[in-house]
Amino acid sequence: MYTIGELSKKTGVTIRTLDYYDEIGLLNPASTTKGGHRLYGEAELLRLEQILSLKFLGFSLDKIRYIL
């Protein structure tokens, strides 16, 4: 499991972007700690990579949400 900071460092995506993806329902954490910290697993890492690939191809976030 990765914290949001670890996921950010691993992928190069800012924490603010990950916050926004969670806010719009594009990338939700696998679980949360008792303290409310978000945790991401391998499935979420794969989904983030798919999101980034589709963004690179020029798809909007709305289209990406529809595709995924």
Side-chain angles (χ1 to χ4, degrees), residues 11 13 21 26-27 42-61 63-65 67-68:
T11 61
V13 176
Y21 289 172
L26 191 57
L27 180 69
E42 293 299 320
E44 290 74 31
L45 177 60
L46 177 61
R47 184 172 174 97
L48 179 58
E49 290 173 354
Q50 291 171 331
I51 292 166
L52 296 175
S53 296
L54 290 168
K55 275 190 63 167
F56 179 77
L57 293 173
F59 289 96
S60 69
L61 293 179
K63 293 261 186 192
I64 293 171
R65 188 175 327 134
I67 291 168
L68 296 179

Side-chain angles (χ1 to χ4, degrees), residues 29-46:
S31 64
T32 55
T33 65
K34 290 180 182 179
H37 297 283
R38 292 169 282 182
L39 298 174
Y40 298 86
E42 293 299 320
E44 290 74 31
L45 177 60
L46 177 61

